[in-house]
Amino acid sequence: MGNLIDEINSPHIMGLVRWLPYDPMNHLHDGTVKRVLQPWKLEADGRYDLSQFSPEWETRLKKLLESALEKRIIVVLELWDDWSVTRGPGGAYDPGDNFGWNGHPFNPNNNINYDEQSLPASTLACAAPFYQTLPSKSNNQEVFRYQKLYIDRLLGIIEPYPHILLNVNNESRADLEWSRFWAGYVKEKFPMVGDMPSTNRKDGGGECEDDFNPMTLALDNLYGFVDISQGVSGHEFNSPQAQAIDGGKRIREYREAMKANGQVKPLLVSKDYTRDENGGDIVIWSRFINGTASTRFHRPAAETPASVVDYQHAAMMRLGKFVSGLPFWELSPHPVLLSSLPDGMAANVLSNGVDVLAIQLLGGKANATMDLELTEGRWKISWINPSTGLQMKEETIHHSTKRLAVRIPADLPHLIVHMEKVN
């Protein structure tokens, strides 16, 4: 990631990674790790002491944060990992011994601090006991004390670092009350706090609670950003084209609702599951052109070949180099500028509404025309193949009417059009 940012060489573009401060692979759903290193002190009997912390863990976390800062990479730290809270006996599924909730240090079987009288060793897909400890809920002071102790220790470690965003949860099946409590708890020190609800319903709603969804979070002043990855992913929209067009429409709906509410906050796509040459370019370019603050391929699964990782690096490089040539902080989605397209085509439009446009075209047809609502003058038009990053054609067109008809130069399933008004 660091080398990629160096190669793009733009002061306005940074890398983005997601980390869980406690080991994100304790559920091992994407492969194995050489060593699971948790924040808490490991006793000789293999259980954790939740009242004490591991110096080795703290050293590793600081080393990772310092390395990311040096490489200009923003780190999104997930406070809690739903995959290790709701996956286990009685939960979404049971991944087996030592995995998911079975291996979580807060499971009473895995720590010396309390037993099943305080917290069940079983879990639930929704309303997991781990999420019910708040004073406003079960008021489970014994377990809540250790939850708060961990967050306090984490905040103390990360406070000096300027490149951190906090996400309350990863793919969360918790509820809005849990999310809002922890967002409010950390907000004083880290105002850039967000959350990522698990949203596999067809309307982007919360998986376990209707109100816990990206739209609700986007309109809630507690949150400085919202991770909408699950709400616009292939889990719902299936094909890359549907993710680009229908998912893009949902991104714009979030933005319009925030605008009406008085604040357009960053929308993060911290992971896209369409992550190879079979649609990966279409999806990541659509995220940018529909106005998200980030786009990122989901981590390679254990079986992912090196060729796919190489593709991801190259794809991000192509997009990054394009973005580095635009004043993207001044641009926002402007689909109304595209007045007509040939049948069978679809498009997304990013613009400042005056003199810069970036258009994503899907299903291009050579010699067909698209009509744009643009001011009079001379426009430089560059046609780019996003799968190579190469410019295919450049032309300058002068027009003296409100509508400009632009001829499409090639039959390609995916094209990018960069337009600038010139003197």
Side-chain angles (χ1 to χ4, degrees):
M1 179 68 75
N3 290 338
L4 190 152
I5 299 304
D6 291 341
E7 292 177 57
I8 292 173
N9 192 28
S10 167
H12 307 297
I13 298 175
M14 298 184 70
L16 182 80
V17 297
R18 294 192 316 131
W19 289 341
L20 274 160
Y22 65 88
D23 200 288
M25 298 305 291
N26 69 5
H27 51 274
L28 302 183
H29 69 285
D30 271 341
T32 59
V33 290
K34 292 181 179 179
R35 186 177 183 197
V36 173
L37 185 59
Q38 301 285 14
W40 301 277
K41 181 183 176 183
L42 186 62
E43 298 292 326
D45 64 359
R47 294 183 297 166
Y48 292 94
D49 182 352
L50 301 180
S51 69
Q52 299 190 61
F53 295 90
S54 162
E56 187 179 0
W57 162 77
E58 183 171 332
T59 298
R60 183 180 72 171
L61 178 59
K62 288 180 177 178
K63 183 178 180 180
L64 289 168
L65 292 174
E66 288 162 4
S67 178
L69 180 60
E70 181 183 348
K71 297 176 184 295
R72 299 179 61 246
I73 297 173
I74 295 172
V75 177
V76 183
L77 286 181
E78 315 276 354
L79 300 181
W80 309 107
D81 178 24
D82 186 85
W83 272 84
S84 60
V85 170
T86 64
R87 279 74 170 184
Y93 71 88
D94 190 339
D97 292 345
N98 300 319
F99 304 150
W101 180 244
N102 302 321
H104 199 294
F106 274 79
N107 186 315
N109 292 333
N110 302 325
N111 68 68
I112 66 171
N113 308 96
Y114 51 77
D115 57 24
E116 288 193 66
Q117 294 290 104
S118 299
L119 192 71
S122 60
T123 188
L124 293 169
C126 298
F130 182 84
Y131 295 138
Q132 308 306 309
T133 60
L134 300 180
S136 61
K137 290 188 173 185
S138 69
N139 195 26
N140 187 337
Q141 295 184 22
E142 184 171 16
V143 177
F144 175 71
R145 176 166 67 94
Y146 293 115
Q147 291 171 332
K148 182 175 175 292
L149 184 66
Y150 162 62
I151 296 299
D152 288 342
R153 183 59 172 254
L154 179 65
L155 294 180
I157 293 170
I158 67 178
E159 187 173 11
Y161 297 96
H163 62 309
I164 294 175
L165 308 180
L166 293 181
N167 233 14
V168 175
N169 243 326
N170 168 51
E171 299 182 22
S172 181
R173 300 182 184 204
D175 52 43
L176 187 57
E177 191 171 352
W178 170 269
S179 177
R180 295 191 83 253
F181 175 85
W182 291 110
Y185 190 80
V186 304
K187 185 177 176 64
E188 183 177 346
K189 290 186 176 180
F190 284 87
M192 286 302 287
V193 58
D195 207 344
M196 186 205 303
S198 182
T199 53
N200 66 354
R201 291 190 350 212
K202 294 301 180 184
D203 59 357
E207 183 174 351
C208 292
E209 180 183 280
D210 291 354
D211 288 342
F212 185 38
N213 59 61
M215 182 65 84
T216 299
L217 303 187
L219 301 180
D220 191 323
N221 290 333
L222 268 177
Y223 302 93
F225 70 94
V226 184
D227 193 327
I228 61 172
S229 299
Q230 292 284 300
V232 297
S233 74
H235 293 333
E236 175 175 347
F237 293 111
N238 299 316
S239 71
Q241 289 77 9
Q243 292 176 63
I245 301 304
D246 299 328
K249 180 181 178 183
R250 180 167 291 168
I251 292 168
R252 298 196 300 272
E253 289 171 352
Y254 293 150
R255 290 178 56 94
E256 289 301 315
M258 289 190 293
K259 184 178 180 180
N261 197 48
Q263 180 191 20
V264 179
K265 62 186 70 173
L267 297 176
L268 267 59
V269 178
S270 67
K271 53 181 176 180
D272 268 311
Y273 299 93
T274 303
R275 50 193 175 190
D276 59 24
E277 65 274 10
N278 298 312
D281 284 301
I282 290 174
V283 173
I284 62 170
W285 283 77
S286 75
R287 305 309 193 202
F288 166 67
I289 291 179
N290 282 298
T292 66
S294 72
T295 182
R296 175 181 172 272
F297 291 117
H298 198 20
R299 66 183 181 277
E303 70 279 2
T304 301
S307 60
V308 172
V309 178
D310 291 342
Y311 159 79
Q312 293 175 356
H313 186 280
M316 281 298 177
M317 176 68 69
R318 294 191 294 268
L319 175 59
K321 284 189 174 294
F322 178 77
V323 172
S324 69
L326 295 175
F328 58 84
W329 53 92
E330 299 175 356
L331 310 181
S332 60
H334 275 70
V336 295
L337 295 181
L338 185 60
S339 56
S340 69
L341 271 177
D343 290 342
M345 291 184 62
N348 294 308
V349 182
L350 187 72
S351 177
N352 60 4
V354 180
D355 57 7
V356 177
L357 290 90
I359 304 172
Q360 179 184 39
L361 281 176
L362 300 178
K365 300 177 181 179
N367 298 318
T369 59
M370 61 176 179
D371 292 336
L372 299 166
E373 303 290 334
L374 298 178
T375 57
E376 298 178 15
R378 295 176 67 240
W379 288 84
K380 184 175 73 172
I381 306 175
S382 301
W383 297 87
I384 298 164
N385 182 347
S387 67
T388 64
L390 299 178
Q391 180 175 289
M392 301 166 50
K393 181 180 180 180
E394 182 178 293
E395 56 187 324
T396 300
I397 296 177
H398 180 86
H399 83 111
S400 56
T401 60
K402 183 180 179 182
R403 179 173 296 182
L404 173 63
V406 179
R407 190 175 297 277
I408 298 167
D411 287 304
L412 280 179
H414 188 202
L415 279 169
I416 301 297
V417 191
H418 179 203
M419 301 181 63
E420 290 183 303
K421 196 173 184 181
V422 295
N423 295 327

